[in-house]
Amino acid sequence: MPVARRNTRAETLAEQSPLPHWGAEERRDLLARLHARARSGEAETPWDLIVIGAGIIGAGIARDAAIRGLRTLVVDGNDVAFGTSSRSTRLIHGGVRYLEQGELGLVYEALRERRRLYRMAPHLVQPSSFVFPAYAGDRLPLWKLRMGLALYDALSLYQSRHRQVDAAGARAIEPLLETHELRGAVLYEDAVTDDARLTLTTMQSARRHGASVLTHTPALRLRKDDGLHVVELAGGLEVTGRRVIVAAGPWTSERLLGAPGRGVLKLSRGVHFVVRAEDVPVRQPLVIQVRGERRILFVVPWGTRTYLGTTDTAYEGDPGDCGVEPTDAEALFSLVKRVLPSARLGPERIVSAWSGVRPLVLGRAPRRAGGTAELSRKHRLIENADGVVALIGGKLTTYRAMAKDAVDHVIEGLPAHDPEGPRWPRATTHLEPLVLGRPLAVEEFGDPLIADLAQRHGPDSRTLAARAREVPALAERLVADLPYRWVEVERAIAFEGALHLDDVLRRRLPLALTDPALGARVARKIATMLIEARGADGAEIEAEIERYRELVFRETGRSVPAV
Ligand SMILES: Cc1cc2nc3c(=O)[nH]c(=O)nc-3n(C[C@H](O)[C@H](O)[C@H](O)COP(=O)(O)OP(=O)(O)OC[C@H]3O[C@@H](n4cnc5c(N)ncnc54)[C@H](O)[C@@H]3O)c2cc1C
C-alpha cells in the first residue's frame, strides 16, 4: 500500500516539524481549488496579490505580503529558484566592487541586509573572512584596497572590520598564493550562502504565513477584466488578483508587461566551476583581480569542494537555456592560476559547473561605457498602464528590502479586508527568523547527522535527525563524501515542493553540482520516490531520468552517466 505508507511517513514528519506539508498532494489540492474558483467566477474572492516568479524576489515578496495578511498566490513556470537564484556566486555581501562604481547607497543597503540575514537565517548565511590579495601591477593596489575596505567597514556600521597583512602574512593565511610580486592582502568579512536553499526557505516561510505556491505552471498572458487582473496559466487555468507583481528575473519582458517591459534588462551570463577541495584547497574565500578588466573573481571553499567564478559576458536568448561554453573553463582557470599557481585546474578536474543570467537594469546610464560588469545592480519597479508591477534587478543579498518596496507599492490604494479596520500593516520581515525553533547549540554539532544537516536546515535539523534515527536507512548519505542524507530526500518530496528529479538533485541537495557522477547513482531511486508521490505510472521513471539528464547537460555541458 504505497499511498498509505507515504502518508504515514509524512504525518510522522509533520508531528515533529513546524513546516507545513508541501508535496504532490498539496499541489493537487491547490489545483483543484483554483479550478473550482475559476469555474465559479472568482470575482468575489480574488487573490490580493499574484506573484509571477518563485526566485528569491518572488519568494521575498510572497513572504512579506503573506506576513502582512494579503491572500497571496505565487506561480512559477518551473521550480522554486530555477532561475538566477540557484546560479549565483552564493555571496551575501555588500559588494566591494560597487564601491569603485560609487554605488555607496547600494553597498550600505546590502550590508544592512547582510546584518539582518545573519539574524533571520544564521544557518544559511555564514560569515567568512575573505582574502583580497594585491600584486604589483594590479589595477587595485594595496593602498586602494585598504581605503575601499575602510569605507566598507564604515558602511557596515563597524559590524565588521578589515585587516591588512603584508606578503608574508598573506602567504601565512593562504599558502597557495603566488609569491612573486605579491604586495600583501586585505582581509574583510562577507558571507557565503546557499542561494537555492535561501530562496526555498524564504518560500517555506511565506507558505507558513498562508501564501499558496504553484510551481511548474508558467503564466502565459495577463489581462485586465472588470478592474481585476486575470493571469492565464498553462493548462487552461485562469487566476484573478487585485494586484500582480512580475518577479520573473531575467525573463521579465514585453510578453507579460507589454511595451514597458521591452528592453528593460540587459542579460549577462556568469559561469562557475566546481572542483574537489584537494585540487584547490583554499582555506577561506579568495578574491582575485582580473588584469585589464574591472571584474573580480571568487574562489570559495564549499565543504569537500571548491567553486570558482564568475564570468560576465553579454547574453541573448532564453535565460533557461544558458549553459557553460567550451571556452569558459580555460578562460577562468588561467585567471585563477595566475594567483594560485599550484591549483590543479584542467578540464579533467572539473566536478561540475553552473551557469546563470544576471538581470541587469538598463535605463540608468552606466558610469562608464563598457561591458555588463559596469551596469548597475540597483533594482527598479516598473508599472504598466494596467497597473501590473514588475520588480527587476538587484541582488540576492537585497531581496528582502526589494520585496518590501514592491509590497509597499502595491498595497497603496488596495483596500484592506476589513474596511473599518486598520490599513495593511508595515513590513516585519526582518523581525522573524526564516526557520522557527531554538538555534542549534554548539554541542549538538557533535552529532554527525546534525553536523551534516545544520547548514541547510538550522533548527529543523533536530526533526530530521530524529526521523533518521527512527529509520536508519534515512540516515545514510547519498554520496559518501557529501553531507546530503536520504532523510532530506523524503523531506524534499513531502515538505519542500520537489516534483522532479532536478528539483531534488540540482536545487535542494545539489548533487548535480557537487557529485562527479552528477547524482547518477541515486537518480533512479529518487525518481521512483517522486513518481510514487505523484501517483504517476511507473513507466514515467525513465522519462523523469531522461529529463534530468537533458537539463543537467544543458546547464553544465556534462553528461550524467548511465543510470
Ligand atoms: C553569475 C551570477 C552571480 C551572482 N552572484 C550574486 C551574489 O553572489 N550575491 C548576490 O547577492 N547576488 C548575486 N547575483 C544576483 C542574484 O542571483 C539575482 O539578482 C537574483 O537571484 C535574481 O532573482 P529573481 O528572483 O529576480 O530572478 P530568478 O531567480 O531568475 O527568478 C525568476 C523566476 O521567474 C520564473 N518565471 C519566468 N517567467 C515566468 C512565467 N512566464 N511564468 C511563471 N514563472 C516565470 C522563472 O522560472 C524563475 O524561477 C548573481 C547573479 C548571477 C547571474
Side-chain angles (χ1 to χ4, degrees):
M1 288 282 289
V3 172
R5 203 173 59 240
R6 201 170 57 243
N7 283 348
T8 316
R9 250 197 242 140
E11 274 156 21
T12 318
L13 270 176
E15 278 160 24
Q16 299 163 344
S17 163
L19 267 185
H21 283 250
W22 187 9
E25 214 169 296
E26 285 66 41
R27 177 187 171 80
R28 277 193 294 273
D29 287 352
L30 177 60
L31 276 169
R33 266 194 293 138
L34 294 176
H35 278 292
R37 285 168 74 140
R39 272 196 307 274
S40 64
E42 248 193 331
E44 280 168 27
T45 51
W47 298 93
D48 292 320
L49 178 63
I50 298 174
V51 183
I52 299 176
I56 189 72
I57 302 302
I61 292 170
R63 177 170 186 262
D64 187 314
I67 289 179
R68 296 200 217 194
L70 276 78
R71 287 189 298 255
T72 304
L73 172 70
V74 187
V75 296
D76 197 291
N78 207 295
D79 182 27
V80 173
F82 164 76
T84 316
S85 303
S86 60
R87 301 155 187 256
S88 77
T89 308
R90 306 161 67 102
L91 306 180
I92 295 299
H93 63 163
V96 279
R97 198 163 64 77
Y98 311 133
L99 286 177
E100 243 200 307
Q101 297 167 359
E103 307 244 34
L104 300 193
L106 176 66
V107 176
Y108 175 80
E109 181 183 49
L111 288 169
R112 186 195 63 204
E113 290 304 309
R114 188 186 74 180
R115 274 196 306 281
R116 289 181 165 162
L117 282 166
Y118 281 155
R119 287 199 304 270
M120 287 162 59
H123 65 290
L124 285 174
V125 184
Q126 319 243 307
S128 304
S129 175
F130 284 58
V131 184
F132 198 149
Y135 287 85
D138 271 349
R139 198 176 53 77
L140 296 173
L142 204 53
W143 68 268
K144 265 198 181 173
L145 285 183
R146 212 174 49 228
M147 270 178 52
L149 268 305
L151 184 54
Y152 206 64
D153 292 347
L155 292 170
S156 80
L157 306 180
Y158 297 103
Q159 294 283 314
S160 55
R161 288 176 195 267
H162 80 282
R163 189 157 70 84
Q164 186 194 330
V165 288
D166 61 12
R171 284 269 302 174
I173 288 161
E174 185 47 82
L176 297 185
L177 284 176
E178 165 70 275
T179 37
H180 184 60
E181 301 203 310
L182 176 63
R183 294 290 188 251
V186 174
L187 311 180
Y188 70 97
E189 182 185 310
D190 256 328
V192 181
T193 190
D194 172 340
D195 49 6
R197 179 61 57 176
L198 180 67
T199 307
L200 178 70
T201 308
T202 304
M203 198 60 102
Q204 283 172 309
S205 173
R207 287 189 84 253
R208 197 188 296 118
H209 286 281
S212 296
V213 184
L214 184 64
T215 54
H216 295 285
T217 311
L220 303 178
R221 263 173 305 277
L222 304 181
R223 60 170 206 275
K224 200 84 185 264
D225 207 352
D226 240 358
L228 292 172
H229 296 277
V230 179
V231 181
E232 298 175 24
L233 301 175
L237 186 60
E238 291 191 345
V239 286
T240 308
R242 300 205 287 170
R243 299 301 314 249
V244 171
I245 303 180
V246 174
W251 285 268
T252 308
S253 67
E254 214 174 338
R255 189 154 73 92
L256 294 173
L257 288 174
R262 193 179 306 148
V264 288
L265 292 177
K266 187 172 172 84
L267 303 184
S268 138
R269 190 177 61 97
V271 166
H272 293 80
F273 288 95
V274 183
V275 295
R276 285 193 169 80
E278 62 259 32
D279 286 336
V280 187
V282 284
R283 294 176 172 178
Q284 51 210 349
L286 177 75
V287 190
I288 295 179
Q289 305 194 39
V290 177
R291 285 279 160 96
E293 288 181 48
R294 300 167 69 82
R295 193 154 55 100
I296 51 179
L297 305 178
F298 292 92
V299 180
V300 184
W302 185 13
T304 51
R305 307 287 180 255
T306 297
Y307 65 85
L308 33 113
T310 171
T311 56
D312 195 337
T313 48
Y315 179 81
E316 282 176 17
D318 185 329
D321 289 341
C322 84
V324 174
E325 302 287 334
T327 50
D328 287 332
E330 210 180 301
L332 259 179
F333 290 174
S334 70
L335 293 171
V336 172
K337 285 196 81 133
R338 182 179 71 82
V339 173
L340 301 176
S342 62
R344 289 198 298 255
L345 286 169
E348 74 292 352
R349 299 282 173 178
I350 299 171
V351 170
S352 188
W354 71 87
S355 173
V357 173
R358 295 178 190 83
L360 301 174
V361 178
L362 278 175
R364 286 173 207 270
R367 289 174 64 82
R368 286 181 188 78
T372 51
E374 304 291 330
L375 282 174
S376 173
R377 261 65 174 172
K378 280 191 186 133
H379 69 272
R380 199 171 136 196
L381 270 178
I382 45 182
E383 184 161 352
N384 74 10
D386 279 345
V388 175
V389 171
L391 180 55
I392 50 172
K395 295 159 55 60
L396 196 71
T397 308
T398 51
Y399 84 91
R400 196 209 56 86
M402 291 171 65
K404 174 187 175 299
D405 276 4
V407 177
D408 281 346
H409 179 81
V410 295
I411 59 174
E412 223 167 85
L414 184 74
H417 292 149
D418 175 4
E420 307 292 311
R423 289 169 57 79
W424 298 107
R426 295 156 72 95
T428 52
T429 39
H430 57 297
L431 299 178
E432 190 183 303
L434 290 187
V435 174
L436 302 181
R438 186 170 36 88
L440 291 169
V442 178
E443 314 82 74
E444 288 177 275
F445 284 80
D447 174 348
L449 259 174
I450 297 269
D452 270 4
L453 297 165
Q455 282 203 6
R456 287 175 298 290
H457 304 279
D460 259 354
S461 309
R462 292 191 194 100
T463 315
L464 285 159
R467 171 76 183 142
R469 274 190 282 272
E470 253 172 53
V471 184
L474 295 178
E476 304 281 314
R477 284 181 165 191
L478 277 79
V479 170
D481 71 339
L482 294 167
Y484 313 118
R485 306 270 181 160
W486 279 99
V487 69
E488 296 179 88
V489 176
E490 184 187 72
R491 158 76 56 127
I493 297 172
F495 286 85
E496 294 178 353
L499 287 181
H500 289 286
L501 211 38
D502 61 305
D503 301 353
V504 179
L505 289 178
R506 167 65 176 87
R507 285 169 291 277
R508 285 157 189 77
L509 309 170
L511 292 196
L513 306 181
T514 50
D515 172 21
L518 306 168
R521 286 186 205 97
V522 294
R524 182 169 298 278
K525 184 167 168 193
I526 299 175
T528 310
M529 291 165 76
L530 286 161
I531 298 294
E532 191 187 309
R534 294 211 300 254
D537 186 336
E540 284 184 32
I541 293 172
E542 294 310 321
E544 189 60 48
I545 294 171
E546 196 46 40
R547 181 182 177 280
Y548 176 67
R549 302 183 86 226
E550 268 175 41
L551 285 168
V552 172
F553 184 74
R554 193 190 305 161
E555 184 182 357
T556 67
R558 309 185 73 72
S559 300
V560 180
V563 296

